[in-house]
Amino acid sequence: MAACPTATFADAGACVPCNGTCAECSGAGASNCTSCRSASAHPHLADGACTCSSGYNATADACLEIDECSTHTDNCHALATCTNLAGTFNCTCADGYAGDGVTCVDIDECALGTHACDTSPSPVDGAPLATCTNTAGGYSCACTSSGYAGDGFYCADVNECALGTHDCHPEGKCVNTPGRYYCRCVSGYTGDGYTCTDLDDCDPDPCDPVHGTCNDVGANKYVCHCEIGFGGM
């Protein structure tokens, strides 16, 4: 049949007034096509006529939405996600990247200070306990302050005394402090804790100055010997 007049459409071989059922009017260039649809009600029609707008393909009797994402006709960046929309698509940069989705650039969280590395100041030198290293789309953290260990997001003091990783003298005592440790000699020894020597318990001489002789027998120990013919404690 010939094209129906304006504001009508072909229905079962007859031209009837356009209404909400005239889906067949969406065919591009179809002989039964009239401008029965408005652009506001049917945005996939160009200017309300039976010509498909951008983002749609015309068939014999319909406008089919084009999925640019699945057909790979989008222009999203390789590091962006494509989301199909009615008649168009949207590009979103992946986490760790910024841009409009067509262009995506790495975000340097370390330079921007938006990372979560442990930035607590070291009690030893005041430097941050962890160092941030930027990577493509992310970053990594590492505890770099001497005397601390952890995953970089949290750095804990290393107790060298409990671990036995100190270098105190066998007669020295290890004392742990935040980020470090120190050594001190136990009672009866003298030195810096890293080197300890037995104190001379006979100096000053605690024995009888005339008839006694002092003999140092270890840390905080001595024995007094009396001369022959003399006795005492």
Side-chain angles (χ1 to χ4, degrees):
M1 59 179 294
C4 290
T6 300
T8 66
F9 74 105
D11 184 19
C15 293
V16 297
C18 288
N19 54 48
T21 68
C22 60
E24 61 269 29
C25 286
S26 61
S31 61
N32 63 348
C33 176
T34 64
S35 57
C36 60
R37 296 192 169 194
S38 68
S40 60
H42 305 282
H44 61 285
L45 299 179
D47 299 325
C50 294
T51 301
C52 297
S53 57
S54 176
Y56 292 83
N57 279 332
T59 65
D61 59 357
C63 290
L64 299 180
E65 201 271 322
I66 301 171
D67 187 342
E68 295 86 354
C69 300
S70 64
T71 57
H72 305 293
T73 55
D74 62 89
N75 63 342
C76 296
H77 191 274
L79 294 171
T81 299
C82 178
T83 302
N84 189 60
L85 302 173
T88 185
F89 60 93
N90 181 64
C91 304
T92 305
C93 293
D95 290 343
Y97 293 85
D100 58 7
V102 177
T103 301
C104 297
V105 295
D106 175 55
I107 298 173
D108 190 340
E109 297 86 354
C110 300
L112 293 174
T114 56
H115 60 83
C117 300
D118 194 341
T119 57
S120 304
S122 167
V124 178
D125 56 13
L129 295 180
T131 298
C132 177
T133 302
N134 188 63
T135 59
Y139 64 92
S140 63
C141 304
C143 297
T144 52
S145 182
S146 177
Y148 286 84
D151 59 6
F153 296 95
Y154 174 72
C155 300
D157 172 56
V158 176
N159 190 332
E160 297 87 353
C161 300
L163 294 172
T165 56
H166 60 84
D167 57 354
C168 297
H169 190 272
E171 300 299 340
K173 178 178 177 60
C174 178
V175 180
N176 188 66
T177 60
R180 59 176 64 178
Y181 68 93
Y182 67 89
C183 306
R184 64 185 182 190
C185 296
V186 298
S187 177
Y189 289 83
T190 184
D192 59 6
Y194 299 93
T195 300
C196 297
T197 56
D198 179 32
L199 285 170
D200 186 356
D201 297 300
C202 293
D203 183 18
D205 192 342
C207 302
D208 185 289
V210 177
H211 302 290
T213 301
C214 180
N215 183 22
D216 189 323
V217 292
N220 297 317
K221 296 178 181 179
Y222 65 90
V223 175
C224 292
H225 299 280
C226 294
E227 292 180 3
I228 297 176
F230 291 87
M233 296 293 292

